[in-house]
Amino acid sequence: PGPIPADAYAKGLQAAWKDYEIDFKDNPNYTVAPNFEKILRQTIDLCRNAGIDVFLLRMPEDRDFQAFYPAQANAAIESCLRKVQDDYKVRLIDARSWYLERDNFLDGHHLNATGAEIFTRRFADELSKTGQAPAPR
């Protein structure tokens, strides 16, 4: 818990870039893998067949991490999610741009304990607005 020191965040962000560099660097023809959309659709079908309400969620990302995405990647991801939303009439909770201080991330896209608590409180609030909040146990 607690803020991530700037140097630890920078190291984490650099490691994240190494993980994603192959996907984004010099890749003007970025597309969402067809298998991803197929599996997402199968998962929604499986949930619906079991009577489970479904929504889509984009997790928070710091602006530093978002800067890794080339425009084509953003467009492809948005298009894929929009198609699935339209086809299935599911809601998207887009937490990608919810503002969280940089020191709430380990590496730009993984939250630390403090960031996770902040995210969870807002996420619960968003769910309660839609009537899709989980029932208390």
Side-chain angles (χ1 to χ4, degrees), residues 106-125:
L106 299 171
D107 56 6
H109 71 127
H110 292 104
L111 296 165
N112 65 11
T114 303
E117 181 178 351
I118 294 166
F119 162 76
T120 301
R121 290 180 191 282
R122 179 154 179 201
F123 181 55
D125 186 52

Side-chain angles (χ1 to χ4, degrees), residues 16-27 30:
W17 172 244
K18 287 182 182 179
D19 288 343
Y20 289 91
E21 181 177 22
I22 195 166
D23 295 324
F24 293 144
K25 190 176 182 185
D26 301 323
N27 189 359
Y30 180 91

Side-chain angles (χ1 to χ4, degrees), residues 46 58 128 135:
L46 182 68
R58 290 190 77 181
S128 68

